[in-house]
Amino acid sequence: MIDVLVVDDDFRVAEINAKYVGKVPGFRVAARAHNAAQALAAVQRQHIDLVLLDHYLPDMTGLELAHRMRENGHNTDVIMITAASDVLTVQAAMRQGALHYLVKPFTFAALRSRLDSYAALRRTVDRVSGRGAAGQEQVDRIFGALRALPLPASPGLPSGQSEPTTDLICDVLHRADHPLSAHEVAAETGLSRSTAQRYLRHMEQSGRLHLSLKYGDTGRPEHRYVWVAP
């Protein structure tokens, strides 16, 4: 098994990313961290093969954390998962040895593609390393293993909607002990009410949620949603 450390300052995002990792055969989440200090402690405390690393952390940037890990002698592999999409940050990540760079928001398929290519890289290196020296063909094979597989179109999601946001809303509804309104879902997830309403409407139409109406003294009835999908 490939042991993964998920690093993200947002607890909900870290949980979603961890769930994604758990869906990929051969990978398991060894630890979660919400700041650089926790991440360094996890790497020092236990064996970690791969770090899924956010750039925006409260005590230092993800790139600074990657540099600190190298300084401390930890050769843990890194895949950046961040909203930072400026070219300078991407270039700096490459110089720090990041194997992949995934920009938020992303789909499960996008992350799985990177994880699958990482697993292929490890298998290729294991096969080649037994030969001592690698010829050009073996070197090309190692670098070729890093190429992420082409992504299929994400089925069932309308344009502008993403799997991470869908999973976030599903998690809120799944944990709720009573039907929630779009306003309540928005408050729990940090989304705008209109965005939450669009996702809820699509999920209700696809049969994942049950819609009920709550009538007040005046005005239109309030739409409330409850999780029904297994």
Short mmCIF file of all heavy atoms in Angstrom, two decimals, residues 31-55:
data_model
loop_
_atom_site.label_atom_id
_atom_site.label_comp_id
_atom_site.label_asym_id
_atom_site.label_seq_id
_atom_site.Cartn_x
_atom_site.Cartn_y
_atom_site.Cartn_z
N ALA A 31 -2.36 9.78 7.32
CA ALA A 31 -2.53 10.90 8.24
C ALA A 31 -3.10 12.09 7.50
O ALA A 31 -3.02 12.17 6.26
CB ALA A 31 -1.20 11.28 8.90
N ARG A 32 -3.69 13.02 8.26
CA ARG A 32 -4.13 14.31 7.73
C ARG A 32 -3.43 15.40 8.52
O ARG A 32 -3.13 15.24 9.70
CB ARG A 32 -5.65 14.48 7.87
CG ARG A 32 -6.48 13.46 7.10
CD ARG A 32 -7.96 13.70 7.41
NE ARG A 32 -8.85 12.78 6.76
CZ ARG A 32 -9.14 11.55 7.23
NH1 ARG A 32 -8.59 11.15 8.36
NH2 ARG A 32 -9.96 10.76 6.58
N ALA A 33 -3.19 16.53 7.88
CA ALA A 33 -2.59 17.69 8.56
C ALA A 33 -3.24 18.95 8.02
O ALA A 33 -3.60 19.02 6.84
CB ALA A 33 -1.08 17.73 8.33
N HIS A 34 -3.40 19.94 8.89
CA HIS A 34 -4.06 21.18 8.50
C HIS A 34 -3.13 22.39 8.57
O HIS A 34 -3.56 23.51 8.35
CB HIS A 34 -5.29 21.39 9.37
CG HIS A 34 -6.23 20.22 9.35
ND1 HIS A 34 -6.91 19.83 8.22
CD2 HIS A 34 -6.56 19.32 10.32
CE1 HIS A 34 -7.65 18.76 8.49
NE2 HIS A 34 -7.44 18.43 9.75
N ASN A 35 -1.87 22.14 8.86
CA ASN A 35 -0.84 23.18 8.79
C ASN A 35 0.51 22.51 8.59
O ASN A 35 0.62 21.27 8.66
CB ASN A 35 -0.86 24.08 10.03
CG ASN A 35 -0.69 23.30 11.32
OD1 ASN A 35 0.24 22.52 11.46
ND2 ASN A 35 -1.59 23.53 12.28
N ALA A 36 1.53 23.32 8.35
CA ALA A 36 2.85 22.77 8.04
C ALA A 36 3.45 22.06 9.24
O ALA A 36 4.12 21.02 9.08
CB ALA A 36 3.77 23.89 7.57
N ALA A 37 3.26 22.59 10.44
CA ALA A 37 3.82 21.96 11.63
C ALA A 37 3.28 20.54 11.82
O ALA A 37 4.04 19.61 12.12
CB ALA A 37 3.53 22.81 12.87
N GLN A 38 1.97 20.38 11.63
CA GLN A 38 1.38 19.05 11.75
C GLN A 38 1.92 18.12 10.67
O GLN A 38 2.16 16.93 10.91
CB GLN A 38 -0.14 19.14 11.65
CG GLN A 38 -0.82 19.82 12.82
CD GLN A 38 -2.31 19.97 12.61
OE1 GLN A 38 -2.85 19.64 11.55
NE2 GLN A 38 -3.00 20.49 13.63
N ALA A 39 2.10 18.65 9.46
CA ALA A 39 2.60 17.84 8.36
C ALA A 39 4.03 17.36 8.63
O ALA A 39 4.36 16.18 8.42
CB ALA A 39 2.55 18.64 7.06
N LEU A 40 4.88 18.27 9.11
CA LEU A 40 6.26 17.89 9.44
C LEU A 40 6.29 16.84 10.54
O LEU A 40 7.07 15.88 10.48
CB LEU A 40 7.05 19.12 9.87
CG LEU A 40 7.55 20.04 8.75
CD1 LEU A 40 8.14 21.32 9.34
CD2 LEU A 40 8.59 19.33 7.87
N ALA A 41 5.44 17.00 11.53
CA ALA A 41 5.39 16.03 12.62
C ALA A 41 4.96 14.66 12.11
O ALA A 41 5.49 13.62 12.53
CB ALA A 41 4.44 16.51 13.72
N ALA A 42 3.98 14.65 11.18
CA ALA A 42 3.51 13.37 10.63
C ALA A 42 4.60 12.66 9.85
O ALA A 42 4.78 11.45 9.96
CB ALA A 42 2.28 13.61 9.76
N VAL A 43 5.35 13.43 9.05
CA VAL A 43 6.42 12.84 8.25
C VAL A 43 7.53 12.31 9.14
O VAL A 43 8.15 11.27 8.84
CB VAL A 43 6.96 13.88 7.25
CG1 VAL A 43 8.22 13.37 6.55
CG2 VAL A 43 5.90 14.22 6.21
N GLN A 44 7.80 12.99 10.23
CA GLN A 44 8.84 12.54 11.16
C GLN A 44 8.39 11.36 12.00
O GLN A 44 9.20 10.53 12.40
CB GLN A 44 9.25 13.70 12.06
CG GLN A 44 9.97 14.83 11.33
CD GLN A 44 10.08 16.11 12.15
OE1 GLN A 44 9.54 16.19 13.25
NE2 GLN A 44 10.76 17.10 11.61
N ARG A 45 7.08 11.28 12.25
CA ARG A 45 6.56 10.27 13.17
C ARG A 45 6.34 8.92 12.48
O ARG A 45 6.48 7.86 13.11
CB ARG A 45 5.24 10.78 13.76
CG ARG A 45 4.58 9.84 14.75
CD ARG A 45 3.33 10.46 15.34
NE ARG A 45 2.32 10.77 14.33
CZ ARG A 45 1.97 11.99 13.99
NH1 ARG A 45 2.54 13.05 14.55
NH2 ARG A 45 1.03 12.19 13.07
N GLN A 46 6.00 8.91 11.20
CA GLN A 46 5.62 7.67 10.54
C GLN A 46 6.07 7.67 9.09
O GLN A 46 6.47 8.70 8.55
CB GLN A 46 4.09 7.50 10.61
CG GLN A 46 3.31 8.58 9.88
CD GLN A 46 1.85 8.60 10.24
OE1 GLN A 46 1.41 9.43 11.01
NE2 GLN A 46 1.09 7.65 9.69
N HIS A 47 5.98 6.50 8.49
CA HIS A 47 6.38 6.37 7.09
C HIS A 47 5.30 6.97 6.19
O HIS A 47 4.12 6.60 6.28
CB HIS A 47 6.58 4.90 6.73
CG HIS A 47 6.82 4.68 5.28
ND1 HIS A 47 8.03 4.96 4.67
CD2 HIS A 47 6.00 4.22 4.28
CE1 HIS A 47 7.96 4.68 3.38
NE2 HIS A 47 6.73 4.23 3.12
N ILE A 48 5.69 7.89 5.34
CA ILE A 48 4.79 8.51 4.37
C ILE A 48 5.44 8.39 2.98
O ILE A 48 6.58 8.78 2.80
CB ILE A 48 4.53 10.00 4.69
CG1 ILE A 48 3.87 10.15 6.06
CG2 ILE A 48 3.68 10.64 3.60
CD1 ILE A 48 2.46 9.62 6.15
N ASP A 49 4.71 7.83 2.04
CA ASP A 49 5.22 7.73 0.67
C ASP A 49 4.94 8.98 -0.15
O ASP A 49 5.78 9.42 -0.93
CB ASP A 49 4.57 6.52 -0.04
CG ASP A 49 4.94 5.21 0.60
OD1 ASP A 49 6.15 4.90 0.66
OD2 ASP A 49 4.02 4.49 1.06
N LEU A 50 3.75 9.56 0.05
CA LEU A 50 3.28 10.64 -0.82
C LEU A 50 2.54 11.68 -0.01
O LEU A 50 1.71 11.33 0.85
CB LEU A 50 2.36 10.07 -1.91
CG LEU A 50 1.69 11.05 -2.86
CD1 LEU A 50 2.72 11.75 -3.74
CD2 LEU A 50 0.65 10.34 -3.73
N VAL A 51 2.81 12.95 -0.28
CA VAL A 51 2.09 14.05 0.35
C VAL A 51 1.23 14.75 -0.70
O VAL A 51 1.75 15.18 -1.74
CB VAL A 51 3.06 15.07 0.99
CG1 VAL A 51 2.28 16.23 1.61
CG2 VAL A 51 3.94 14.40 2.03
N LEU A 52 -0.06 14.83 -0.45
CA LEU A 52 -0.96 15.68 -1.26
C LEU A 52 -0.99 17.03 -0.57
O LEU A 52 -1.57 17.18 0.51
CB LEU A 52 -2.36 15.07 -1.34
CG LEU A 52 -2.46 13.67 -1.95
CD1 LEU A 52 -3.92 13.25 -2.09
CD2 LEU A 52 -1.75 13.60 -3.30
N LEU A 53 -0.35 18.02 -1.18
CA LEU A 53 0.04 19.24 -0.47
C LEU A 53 -0.66 20.49 -1.00
O LEU A 53 -0.51 20.84 -2.17
CB LEU A 53 1.56 19.41 -0.57
CG LEU A 53 2.20 20.59 0.15
CD1 LEU A 53 1.88 20.58 1.63
CD2 LEU A 53 3.71 20.57 -0.08
N ASP A 54 -1.40 21.14 -0.12
CA ASP A 54 -1.97 22.45 -0.43
C ASP A 54 -0.87 23.51 -0.31
O ASP A 54 0.08 23.36 0.46
CB ASP A 54 -3.11 22.75 0.54
CG ASP A 54 -3.87 24.02 0.17
OD1 ASP A 54 -3.78 24.45 -0.99
OD2 ASP A 54 -4.55 24.57 1.06
N HIS A 55 -0.99 24.58 -1.08
CA HIS A 55 0.02 25.64 -1.03
C HIS A 55 -0.28 26.66 0.07
O HIS A 55 0.62 27.15 0.75
CB HIS A 55 0.12 26.35 -2.38
CG HIS A 55 1.16 27.42 -2.42
ND1 HIS A 55 2.50 27.18 -2.16
CD2 HIS A 55 1.08 28.77 -2.69
CE1 HIS A 55 3.20 28.30 -2.28
NE2 HIS A 55 2.36 29.28 -2.59
#
